[in-house]
Amino acid sequence: MVKRTFSFFLKKLRENPLVLPAVILAAAFYSGVLRVSFEKPCRALFPSQKISRISGTVVSNPARVSDYKNSYRIKVRLDSAWTKDGAISQADGVAEVFVPTSLYEIYSPGKLYSAWRGEKIKFLMDSGAKIELLVVPKEVKDYRGGTARTKTEFHVTKIEKCVWQKSGVGFARGIFMRLQKIRALSRLHFTRLMYAWGKAGGLVLALLSGSREYLSGGISEAFRNAGLSHILALSGMHLSLFSGMAFFLGRKTFGKRFAPAFEIFAIALFFWFAGKSPSLFRALICSLCVIFSAIFHIKIKSMLNVLAFSFLLHIAIFPADMFDLGFMLSYGALAGILCFNELIARPLSRIFPHHIKNSLAQSSGAQVFTIPICMKFFKVITPMGIFASAAVSPIVTVFVYLSLAFIVLSLLCPFFAPICGGVLGAFYFVLEKCVFIFAKFPRLKF
């Protein structure tokens, strides 16, 4: 058995020449032999602890964080910094900034602060906005890369300015800023449409934009306890569903010749709207490799080679992503599926029908490399996650397809929106019950 397994992996390495360099680099980085260059920390003419005001450009989607439950985290590329005594300095680097919910949620539908009519300014804070903030610095330990280092977080007390204006010189720069503002407004209006659809809309918002603020109480924890956290994370599953629908519509509308071009445009649009995350960027690279291979009639012998190429390109562009949990789980799950799916599927074929066998084999393969990661970061393993993923993933697939169809229908004919929300709500009820059932099974804690 050991000899046969060893021969199987040697065959895989011969068929996938990029896998060995990817494995060697991963081992070197995660063991600490090679160091990763992270984003430049905040730098000014005076220490970060003395900074009381900063200005710069938002370069990330605002995200609700568990460390500070009443705050949203954003990343800001700094331009200037001030101290309490009025000293000003040019600043450089990317700062991690935490904005209180009472300030950020002014525009958010249904939130406590959305109907505020006081003196607080109203703003649209998203990637691309130019901001000026009053802040309180706080030093914390950062353990990425295997070694502890000190970094400075900035907690906002007041928003002095948040505007969308042309930054830099040139026509292209102006167009870029306009697109960033269109994206922010689109995400806001999409949030409002999903809010009207209740609990189902909250899940659609999480699946298509990565925003989990409107998930109904307990459902996010239930997904985690059932071993289904990967479903809520923007990843290859969401991009592949969107890509498949785009290819189908492109072939029906523009013909088979132009369908790949429409598919590329659609997945690029989805990536632009959802925002860059490590798992979604991995899915984007893999999808583009497959599409361009089909366009130029290049035969892909193994998707494992595509995954290895994606890994090498990813760490070349965004090396700091290597220590992001989403990065590790995304690459680990897909690597496990591609490496072990065939081995696991053989014995299962004698017991289960074809579709069930494939689902269980993929779920089991994904667990091979993700279990050690979960043990290290979460101190828990969810064995039932294998069966939960096989059972819930097809339901989520249908749910996403229905959501996309209903969104298009609601935009074209707004009077259908309440009907679409009702139908999707009924489907969500079934999905929610399945997730809560699997969440009740015991987990192994370490």
Side-chain angles (χ1 to χ4, degrees):
M1 180 65 182
V2 175
K3 184 179 179 180
R4 187 168 58 185
T5 304
F6 184 70
S7 300
F8 174 81
F9 281 110
L10 282 179
K11 181 182 177 183
K12 287 283 186 183
L13 286 175
R14 285 195 297 268
E15 293 174 350
N16 304 278
L18 292 178
V19 170
L20 188 58
V23 171
I24 292 174
L25 277 177
F29 279 116
Y30 288 125
S31 64
V33 174
L34 294 178
R35 297 293 181 183
V36 173
S37 58
F38 294 102
E39 295 170 326
K40 291 182 180 179
C42 170
R43 295 184 300 179
L45 292 178
F46 30 77
S48 300
Q49 297 79 15
K50 294 186 177 181
I51 293 176
S52 62
R53 181 194 299 243
I54 59 174
S55 71
T57 304
V58 180
V59 293
S60 70
N61 291 338
R64 194 79 173 263
V65 289
S66 56
D67 295 341
Y68 306 104
K69 294 183 178 180
N70 294 320
S71 298
Y72 286 80
R73 179 177 56 202
I74 60 173
K75 291 184 178 181
V76 179
R77 183 176 290 111
L78 298 177
D79 296 330
S80 304
W82 292 260
T83 61
K84 288 184 179 180
D85 56 10
I88 183 173
S89 163
Q90 286 187 332
D92 189 18
V94 177
E96 202 167 41
V97 178
F98 294 85
V99 184
T101 53
S102 57
L103 294 175
Y104 177 78
E105 292 180 346
I106 288 177
Y107 276 137
S108 301
K111 295 293 186 179
L112 178 63
Y113 315 101
S114 59
W116 184 267
R117 294 293 182 269
E119 296 181 355
K120 292 182 180 178
I121 60 172
K122 295 195 174 183
F123 56 87
L124 180 61
M125 183 179 289
D126 211 315
S127 181
K130 303 284 291 183
I131 58 175
E132 188 174 312
L133 311 168
L134 295 183
V135 296
V136 175
K138 179 182 178 182
E139 286 192 350
V140 296
K141 292 291 185 180
D142 184 5
Y143 295 94
R144 290 182 302 172
T147 57
R149 60 193 184 100
T150 302
K151 67 175 182 179
T152 303
E153 297 175 345
F154 295 95
H155 295 258
V156 177
T157 58
K158 185 179 180 181
I159 299 175
E160 291 288 333
K161 183 170 64 176
C162 181
V163 297
W164 293 81
Q165 62 185 18
K166 185 176 177 180
S167 176
V169 180
F171 177 77
R173 188 64 180 173
I175 292 294
F176 177 76
M177 293 302 296
R178 286 176 181 270
L179 290 175
Q180 290 285 74
K181 186 174 182 180
I182 290 172
R183 175 184 178 271
L185 289 171
S186 299
R187 286 173 62 90
L188 176 62
H189 290 302
F190 181 65
T191 300
R192 289 174 174 173
L193 174 62
M194 293 301 100
Y195 175 73
W197 285 358
K199 294 181 179 180
L203 181 58
V204 175
L205 190 65
L207 294 175
L208 298 184
S209 72
S211 182
R212 303 186 187 184
E213 287 78 28
Y214 290 89
L215 286 175
S216 61
I219 188 66
S220 182
E221 185 179 356
F223 268 96
R224 184 170 59 251
N225 292 340
L228 300 170
S229 296
H230 61 283
I231 290 180
L232 292 181
L234 285 171
S235 62
M237 185 187 77
H238 306 88
L239 194 68
S240 62
L241 293 177
F242 197 78
S243 174
M245 178 174 282
F247 182 79
F248 175 78
L249 293 175
R251 188 173 58 182
K252 292 294 183 182
T253 307
F254 304 106
K256 189 176 181 179
R257 182 180 178 183
F258 297 100
F262 183 78
E263 186 180 6
I264 292 173
F265 171 77
I267 63 175
L269 184 66
F270 178 78
F271 182 79
W272 170 76
F273 176 79
K276 184 256 173 189
S277 67
S279 56
L280 193 59
F281 189 67
R282 188 273 306 162
L284 178 69
I285 297 174
C286 291
S287 297
L288 291 177
C289 287
V290 172
I291 294 171
F292 280 114
S293 297
I295 292 174
F296 295 106
H297 306 287
I298 301 173
K299 185 179 180 181
I300 297 178
K301 294 183 179 180
S302 173
M303 280 301 298
L304 195 58
N305 218 32
V306 175
L307 182 66
F309 171 78
S310 173
F311 177 84
L312 295 172
L313 182 61
H314 194 152
I315 64 174
I317 300 173
F318 301 111
D321 281 357
M322 286 193 68
F323 294 94
D324 184 275
L325 184 58
F327 177 97
M328 291 184 275
L329 290 175
S330 178
Y331 278 96
L334 189 53
I337 292 172
L338 295 175
C339 289
F340 297 99
N341 182 61
E342 186 180 339
L343 284 175
I344 298 172
R346 289 173 185 171
L348 293 179
S349 60
R350 303 173 184 175
I351 306 172
F352 299 100
H354 178 72
H355 294 295
I356 298 178
K357 173 204 71 175
N358 286 341
S359 295
L360 289 175
Q362 290 179 4
S363 299
S364 303
Q367 297 287 330
V368 174
F369 292 128
T370 57
I371 280 179
I373 299 172
C374 292
M375 289 174 62
K376 177 175 176 57
F377 289 95
F378 303 126
K379 310 298 182 184
V380 67
I381 298 177
T382 310
M384 190 51 61
I386 296 174
F387 302 96
S389 183
V392 174
S393 292
I395 303 176
V396 173
T397 300
V398 178
F399 181 81
V400 171
Y401 277 134
L402 276 178
S403 303
L404 292 172
F406 287 166
I407 289 169
V408 173
L409 182 60
S410 299
L411 293 175
L412 295 176
C413 305
F415 55 85
F416 277 121
I419 301 174
C420 294
V423 175
L424 207 61
F427 204 90
Y428 172 84
F429 177 80
V430 177
L431 175 59
E432 183 183 47
K433 291 298 181 185
C434 292
V435 173
F436 275 110
I437 288 172
F438 283 109
K440 292 179 180 178
F441 285 88
R443 300 181 296 164
L444 302 178
K445 297 184 179 181
F446 297 90

